[in-house]
Amino acid sequence: MTGFGLAFDWSQRFGLALAPLFEGHDAAPLPGDHHVLLDGGFGTFALSTSTEDLWRHNDPAGWAWSSDIPHHVTVTDDKVAMLRWDAPHEPRVYERGGVERSLDRFYAYLNKDRLRSNRGVVDHLLNYFRRIRSLSHNAGLPDARTTDIYLAALARLIAPQHYQVDPAALGLAEDGPELCTRLAAHGLDAAGAEVAAAPGGLSFLRLHPALAIRHAGGQLFQEAHFELLRVSPNFDLFGLIDAPETRVDNRGGTHFTPPALARSIVEQVLAAIPDLASRQALTLCDPACGSGAFLHEALRALRRAGFNGRLKLVGLDISAAAIAMARFVLRLSLRDWSPSGGVELELTLGDSLGDAGMPACDVIVMNPPFIAFGAQSAEQRQQLRDATDASAARGDYSMAFVARGLQALNPGGVLGSLFPASLLSLKAAASWRERLASEGDVRMLASIGDFGLFSHAMVQVACAVVRKGRPQAPSTLTAILTENDAAATGEALRQIRKLNGAAPTAPIIESNWSLFPILSDSLTGRPTWRLPTPATERLLTDLSELSLPSVQDLFEVSQGIQTGLNDILLLTDEEWRALPAKERKAFRIATMTDSIQNGRVVKPYYVFFPHTAAGPLFADEAAVAEAVPSYFKTMLSPARERLASRATILQSKRADWWGLMRSRSWAYNEGPRIISKFFSAEGGFVGDYKADYVAVMGHVWTPKAALIEADDEALPLADLLAAYVAMFNSSPFAKLLSLYAPHVAGGQFDLSARHVNPMPLPDLRALSIDPRAGRRVSELAMLGKAVDVTDPSWRSRTAQTVAEMYGAPSLAIA
């Protein structure tokens, strides 16, 4: 079997995308056929078939390191050798026959043999970027030119004979080489020796810059772009800029496009275009292209698909640095391959929702900015209103890109986009979802729970592939659901690659991911596009047949108090105790985000509460100063302007500038209740049976009449609430939360009333009257008075009892 034949067979077997490791102008220094097998997550590796024992050379480890790939595998006539670039002198060598008889086990081991290092090629080349940025600063060059100099320096390493002769052919600014030469006078190594080898104890690994751009450029340039977006680079005394000590987790509306996910989305989009290989022309656009991750993966996918028509690649972005990086990556990619029909590359600095607009095209792939309504500028809100209808005007900014993209597609064109997973259920996105279902044919819908795949995102991500126009016959889409597990998304993406663009004929259910078919027509008129697995669908059907009441039938779920200025009106326990005893009486004990853990209040706060049910507690400012003189002098008075300028105080023209923004009516009730965190799951609920606490960051669950009504046979209200505390902190209830409430970072859920109100909830008061069920409710109450979600015994007993209360035993293990 030829080297390509072996690589192709392995790629098909494992669900990997195949690409050449080297290209014609970048010849391999050792004999053999060399490929990269690209994974959806962690299982990418380089594969060489050769007559030589390549693992005895340093070069293969350098290839893998340069390509940001953990492993290199060599296959000879009788051996299979695997090495990691961080341990190149410790290869694992096996008999080829044994490996081929257990090929799946071999790949499973390869996939689990993770490499975690801060000496990878991306970090190495980012340090080079920082070095150039520092030298540019010392040379008096504008910081905005750092990108042009960096790209010129990389081009000089990749194609030294061309980078000054024809800079534009390499995607460089016209004066990039000149600036690079100018920087040499300030210490930039003209020969690139400072980046030629890996850092530290791995200096024997040699950098292959063409491999780094070809296979690691997506992550590298996104990281470099973010470096530029840092508000103010901190140059030290010597003009140097250091890497951030900790990774930034949130980048506002701009998030990375993981190359593995971009690759899979592009493949699914292209699979939805009939007769792609024989198509005469194709226009492909990314209207928020960043540094070109989607466009780069599109080129590689078109090559694998056998497309050879005329290709037009269009990219737009509001960042000049991003456009420069995208141009460089794509120019180098076109040196590797272009279709015989030719390529027109059109990269434009501009706003695709503004004057630039989106061109008519056949394919749109994108990762648009994620910006919630509250964080949008006035211009962005107007763009969202213009792209959607009034009911969607308070949605996420990404919705405007998807709506405009669908509009820009030619008939039969296909769109693939990432967006926040909350849009699958957000009420403000209902008309937006309906538009996608009514104007297009949804081919794939995914909810991706793997935050690990998105190195800087703090929101759960979804993606959709939509073909413009309604299908003539009923169609089936592929639904993908992955848990928040580092390997789950990669495993699911490999599986859809094995399907070659077809929807699964039957559900594929694994422990941390699932793939299943859904009729596209079923999305029309559906209030939510949340993706429950088939097993969960059956569970919901079973629960609906039981006709249980809902949360809103039994509880009033209210948001916590709003101070409008926590640093003044909310004190820690230590700060509160430092006040005179007389002044402490003006405060109420409160809970915040970190107050509730494991179903208990572990960190109380104290909130200044100058209110009564009838109105302000103090008639005027003088009365406040007299009641709490120390607190008034040290805290309130110095913050007078800030307190008086709070929105609610101004809008209501309130005179009590020292008061809370919203004190909430529930705060004046003395009956027992339950307090929850704002975002939580198991362990996030606590019983407040004597109304001791007020929630600031959180929610208050006040029992309604159905639970309060007196009955000698029913359990006392405090005991009923304790039983609900156990239920709310249980794993079955967390499972139900995952179906109704948006998932947020850290495995938690948004417990706002609009999400939890529709959830089915047993009436424990009614059940407590039944002799048999009453004993179980009493047991649940005992568990609620001693919550310990860290105790396996407590979790098991509670889960089983809660499942029985729901009348759905499978819920305990769902």
Side-chain angles (χ1 to χ4, degrees):
M1 183 182 292
T2 66
F4 174 79
L6 178 73
F8 181 80
D9 283 354
W10 281 25
S11 70
Q12 295 293 297
R13 174 80 169 261
F14 302 140
L16 304 175
L18 187 62
L21 181 61
F22 297 94
E23 295 289 351
H25 60 274
D26 179 34
L30 292 174
D33 290 301
H34 312 284
H35 297 87
V36 178
L37 278 72
L38 299 161
D39 175 48
F42 295 95
T44 290
F45 66 98
L47 174 66
S48 296
T49 54
S50 179
T51 57
E52 293 191 14
D53 296 347
L54 300 186
W55 61 89
R56 302 185 188 278
H57 301 263
N58 280 341
D59 292 50
W63 302 345
W65 176 71
S66 299
S67 303
D68 198 30
I69 294 169
H71 300 94
H72 180 273
V73 175
T74 303
V75 179
T76 66
D77 288 341
D78 57 352
K79 294 285 194 297
V80 174
M82 177 181 68
L83 59 82
R84 288 183 5 172
W85 61 253
D86 64 333
H89 304 303
E90 303 172 10
R92 296 180 175 88
V93 184
Y94 309 97
E95 293 297 324
R96 178 170 174 174
V99 170
E100 291 183 335
R101 285 191 295 273
S102 304
L103 200 54
D104 291 332
R105 288 180 59 192
F106 174 76
Y107 182 64
Y109 175 78
L110 195 75
N111 200 16
K112 291 178 180 178
D113 186 34
R114 302 283 167 76
L115 191 157
R116 297 175 177 85
S117 173
N118 60 1
R119 295 179 295 176
V121 72
V122 171
D123 288 309
H124 180 60
L125 290 177
L126 273 176
N127 286 332
Y128 186 47
F129 176 82
R130 297 178 186 118
R131 164 79 169 149
I132 287 176
R133 196 177 187 189
S134 298
L135 294 175
S136 299
H137 171 73
N138 293 336
L141 295 171
D143 193 47
R145 299 310 308 274
T146 299
T147 300
D148 295 326
I149 301 170
Y150 182 55
L151 297 179
L154 293 176
R156 182 185 56 193
L157 298 175
I158 295 169
Q161 70 277 27
H162 296 304
Y163 99 105
Q164 278 188 322
V165 176
D166 190 3
L170 297 175
L172 304 179
E174 187 174 333
D175 63 344
E178 179 186 338
L179 291 173
C180 193
T181 301
R182 177 178 168 183
L183 219 57
H186 292 267
L188 181 65
D189 175 20
E194 61 188 284
V195 292
L202 297 171
S203 58
F204 53 84
L205 296 177
R206 311 306 297 171
L207 176 69
H208 295 259
L211 296 184
I213 303 306
R214 183 177 300 128
H215 303 301
Q219 183 173 350
L220 168 63
F221 288 123
Q222 288 184 95
E223 290 277 8
H225 187 215
F226 177 61
E227 287 276 328
L228 281 174
L229 294 179
R230 289 201 298 177
V231 176
S232 57
N234 296 316
F235 295 101
D236 64 16
L237 181 64
F238 303 100
L240 300 178
I241 182 171
D242 293 325
E245 292 185 6
T246 59
R247 277 189 183 272
V248 178
D249 290 320
N250 190 329
R251 300 184 170 190
T254 304
H255 300 291
F256 272 175
T257 304
L261 185 56
R263 184 181 313 127
S264 294
I265 292 175
V266 166
E267 289 171 344
Q268 293 301 304
V269 167
L270 296 180
I273 297 177
D275 305 319
L276 179 64
S278 60
R279 194 179 178 101
Q280 295 300 304
L282 188 76
T283 298
L284 188 148
C285 173
D286 183 345
C289 68
S291 54
F294 266 114
L295 296 174
H296 174 60
E297 290 300 337
L299 266 180
R300 304 216 283 188
L302 286 168
R303 182 181 188 178
R304 290 192 295 272
F307 174 78
N308 262 308
R310 186 175 69 259
L311 177 63
K312 182 176 181 179
L313 286 178
V314 181
L316 298 100
D317 204 275
I318 60 173
S319 166
I323 289 293
M325 293 174 184
R327 183 175 292 112
F328 179 67
V329 168
L330 292 169
R331 286 293 182 192
L332 290 181
S333 296
L334 291 172
R335 281 161 51 94
D336 291 346
W337 174 84
S338 62
S340 57
V343 176
E344 178 185 352
L345 183 60
E346 185 180 293
L347 297 174
T348 305
L349 179 66
D351 183 355
S352 58
L353 294 183
D355 293 338
M358 295 187 195
C361 49
D362 305 303
V363 172
I364 290 180
V365 286
M366 61 177 167
N367 178 10
F370 297 5
I371 307 177
F373 177 76
Q376 293 167 23
S377 67
E379 181 183 11
Q380 289 167 339
R381 290 181 179 180
Q382 186 60 53
Q383 290 175 333
L384 180 59
R385 284 193 293 270
D386 292 343
T388 60
D389 61 25
S391 65
R394 295 183 65 85
D396 189 87
Y397 189 50
S398 60
M399 293 163 54
F401 281 82
V402 175
R404 288 296 190 208
L406 189 63
Q407 186 179 28
L409 283 176
N410 294 324
V414 184
L415 175 147
S417 179
L418 296 172
F419 51 84
S422 61
L423 298 188
L424 295 174
S425 57
L426 188 69
K427 184 177 181 180
S431 63
W432 175 82
R433 292 191 297 270
E434 190 65 22
R435 180 176 176 182
L436 295 185
S438 61
E439 297 182 13
D441 178 19
V442 181
R443 307 305 307 135
M444 184 182 82
L445 198 59
S447 180
I448 300 165
D450 177 18
F451 295 109
L453 188 64
F454 296 84
S455 55
H456 299 281
M458 292 297 285
V459 295
Q460 188 174 0
V461 178
C463 65
V465 172
V466 185
R467 184 163 54 201
K468 187 171 184 175
R470 297 297 300 145
Q472 294 182 349
S475 61
T476 303
L477 68 91
T478 300
I480 305 168
L481 184 65
T482 72
E483 300 291 341
N484 190 21
D485 179 279
T489 300
E491 293 172 5
L493 295 181
R494 284 198 299 274
Q495 184 61 45
I496 65 170
R497 186 174 287 117
K498 291 180 183 180
L499 295 172
N500 293 316
T505 56
I508 304 172
I509 309 296
E510 297 294 338
S511 59
N512 54 7
W513 62 271
S514 57
L515 231 65
F516 44 94
I518 293 179
L519 287 175
S520 296
D521 287 347
S522 68
L523 296 179
T524 304
R526 190 169 175 172
T528 175
W529 284 7
R530 193 177 297 279
L531 295 174
T533 64
T536 304
E537 285 274 24
R538 290 193 296 271
L539 173 62
L540 289 174
T541 300
D542 292 343
L543 289 174
S544 66
E545 291 176 352
L546 295 173
S547 300
L548 295 172
S550 64
V551 167
Q552 65 185 345
D553 293 328
L554 302 175
F555 287 93
E556 182 74 38
V557 180
S558 308
Q559 194 172 333
I561 282 169
Q562 284 185 290
T563 69
L565 205 58
N566 281 350
D567 59 333
I568 301 299
L569 299 174
L570 192 74
L571 304 184
T572 64
D573 184 66
E574 294 78 13
E575 291 169 334
W576 178 75
R577 291 184 184 282
L579 292 174
K582 174 188 173 184
E583 297 188 29
R584 295 180 207 161
K585 297 177 182 178
F587 291 77
R588 292 185 64 177
I589 190 169
T591 61
M592 285 287 288
T593 299
D594 57 350
S595 295
I596 300 174
Q597 297 177 24
N598 198 18
R600 302 166 187 160
V601 176
V602 298
K603 185 178 181 181
Y605 289 83
Y606 290 85
V607 63
F608 184 53
F609 203 91
H611 303 276
T612 68
L617 178 63
F618 303 111
D620 51 35
E621 183 179 318
V624 182
E626 181 181 355
V628 287
S630 175
Y631 178 65
F632 185 86
K633 179 180 180 180
T634 59
M635 300 289 285
L636 292 179
S637 184
R640 175 199 298 265
E641 186 174 342
R642 294 167 63 202
L643 288 165
S645 63
R646 289 171 293 165
T648 300
I649 304 297
L650 288 174
Q651 292 166 7
S652 303
K653 298 180 180 180
R654 284 170 48 186
D656 62 328
W657 55 264
W658 56 86
L660 298 169
M661 245 176 45
R662 291 185 175 86
S663 59
R664 308 296 186 192
S665 59
W666 55 258
Y668 307 108
N669 298 331
E670 297 181 356
R673 58 200 178 207
I674 295 172
I675 293 176
S676 75
K677 300 173 74 168
F678 198 93
F679 300 120
S680 190
E682 299 171 65
F685 296 81
V686 65
D688 185 17
Y689 308 120
K690 297 181 180 180
D692 293 323
Y693 296 92
V694 290
V696 176
M697 277 298 292
H699 293 95
V700 173
W701 299 53
T702 306
K704 288 187 173 181
L707 294 178
I708 296 175
E709 186 179 352
D711 189 314
D712 292 341
E713 297 184 21
L715 281 180
L717 180 58
D719 287 351
L720 285 176
L721 292 186
Y724 278 116
V725 166
M727 178 173 286
F728 294 163
N729 283 311
S730 71
S731 56
F733 193 77
K735 182 66 178 180
L736 288 176
L737 274 174
S738 71
L739 305 177
Y740 288 86
H743 194 272
V744 295
Q748 300 184 92
F749 304 97
D750 183 345
L751 300 181
S752 298
R754 65 182 182 276
H755 303 308
V756 301
N757 273 341
M759 291 179 58
L761 189 66
D763 183 347
L764 296 186
R765 178 188 169 281
L767 289 171
S768 71
I769 299 172
D770 179 87
R772 184 170 178 274
R775 288 194 297 272
R776 305 298 280 163
V777 176
S778 296
E779 291 175 18
L780 207 54
M782 292 177 60
L783 291 166
K785 293 175 182 178
V787 177
D788 188 357
V789 298
T790 65
D791 180 4
S793 175
W794 187 93
R795 286 171 57 87
S796 176
R797 289 173 59 199
T798 306
Q800 188 61 43
T801 306
V802 168
E804 292 180 13
M805 294 295 96
Y806 268 97
S810 62
L811 187 60
I813 55 174

